[in-house]
């Protein structure tokens, strides 16, 4: 804990809207206390034809941070503790998770998922494409989890941007994406 810290995971089920999250903590041994205040917006993932959650991220090395009570849902998909620190060793392999919300009913379709990692100068150093079928949802709207592992060894050191993009095969629906900057040391 003194080297890597500790991650406390809490799952909050909140309806869409604006919230203020307040978290406080105190080290029993030293008496040191601190708090964090965060304004957040919980989106309505089911109003758009296609939407995407934020990116949850871990690493094989970085994800070794202890967590006294892991989130059972994230634990099934991620290889380690989700991390908020976005600095990784070059030898690490990161795992990213997003949820794609498909609200298109009726016509069978596919969702194309593209994951890329770009350097500061815009060069794409990693790219992987996959697709998922709406048949997985059995004709209903629903959530498709997308998990991808990215080895950092070939990226080199520096600042990078991880981007995950989802696109429906039905042409009129906009593309949705999430981006997350990180650094390799």
């Amino acid at each position: 804990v003194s080297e890597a810290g500790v991650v406390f995971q809490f799952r909050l089920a909140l309806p869409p809207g604006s919230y203020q999250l307040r978290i406080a903590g105190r080290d029993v041994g030293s008496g040191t206390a601190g708090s964090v205040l965060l304004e957040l917006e919980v989106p309505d993932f089911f109003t758009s034809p296609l939407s995407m959650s934020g990116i949850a991220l871990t690493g094989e090395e970085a994800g070794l941070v202890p967590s006294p009570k892991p989130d059972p849902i994230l634990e099934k998909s991620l290889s380690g503790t989700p991390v908020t620190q976005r600095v990784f060793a070059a030898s690490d392999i990161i795992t990213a998770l997003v949820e794609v919300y498909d609200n298109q009913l009726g016509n069978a379709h596919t969702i194309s998922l593209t994951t890329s990692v770009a350097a500061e100068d815009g060069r794409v150093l990693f790219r992987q494409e996959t697709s998922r079928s709406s048949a997985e949802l059995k004709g209903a709207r629903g959530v498709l989890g997308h998990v991808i592992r990215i080895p950092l060894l070939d990226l080199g050191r520096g600042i990078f941007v991880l981007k995950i993009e989802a696109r429906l095969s039905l042409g009129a629906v906009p593309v949705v994406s999430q981006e997350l900057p990180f650094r390799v040391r």
Side-chain angles (χ1 to χ4, degrees):
V1 171
S2 63
E3 289 179 21
V6 65
V7 173
F8 291 96
Q9 299 178 51
F10 300 97
R11 180 171 292 270
L12 300 173
L14 299 171
S18 298
Y19 296 91
Q20 188 177 78
L21 180 64
R22 301 174 187 180
I23 299 174
R26 184 174 68 85
D27 181 331
V28 177
S30 69
T32 303
S35 64
V36 175
L37 176 72
L38 177 68
E39 302 288 336
L40 61 98
E41 184 71 28
V42 175
D44 187 346
F45 291 112
F46 296 104
T47 57
S48 298
L50 184 68
S51 59
M52 183 185 294
S53 72
I55 301 171
L57 193 63
T58 191
E60 287 186 359
E61 295 172 34
L64 295 175
V65 177
S67 183
K69 187 178 175 188
D71 181 293
I73 295 170
L74 289 177
E75 196 173 35
K76 290 178 187 175
S77 300
L78 294 176
S79 58
T81 302
V83 294
T84 56
Q85 183 174 329
R86 303 297 186 221
V87 179
F88 299 92
S91 58
D92 211 345
I93 297 172
I94 60 173
T95 302
L97 163 70
V98 295
E99 293 179 329
V100 178
Y101 296 79
D102 181 359
N103 299 309
Q104 290 292 305
L105 299 173
N107 296 336
H109 56 275
T110 58
I111 299 171
S112 299
L113 293 152
T114 304
T115 303
S116 63
V117 175
E120 280 185 287
D121 62 7
R123 289 177 300 127
V124 175
L125 303 172
F126 174 91
R127 182 177 177 91
Q128 184 175 7
E129 296 181 21
T130 189
S131 63
R132 304 281 295 271
S133 171
S134 62
E136 292 180 55
L137 299 173
K138 298 179 174 56
R141 69 182 190 176
V143 182
L144 297 170
H146 174 63
V147 178
I148 185 160
R149 292 172 44 88
I150 304 165
L152 302 180
L153 196 56
D154 294 336
L155 298 182
R157 289 171 167 63
I159 297 174
F160 303 92
V161 176
L162 167 63
K163 181 177 183 179
I164 301 176
E165 181 178 274
R167 173 186 317 263
L168 284 176
S169 60
L170 307 171
V173 178
V175 174
V176 295
S177 65
Q178 291 287 347
E179 293 185 0
L180 186 79
F182 67 94
R183 185 168 66 87
V184 176
R185 57 175 156 74

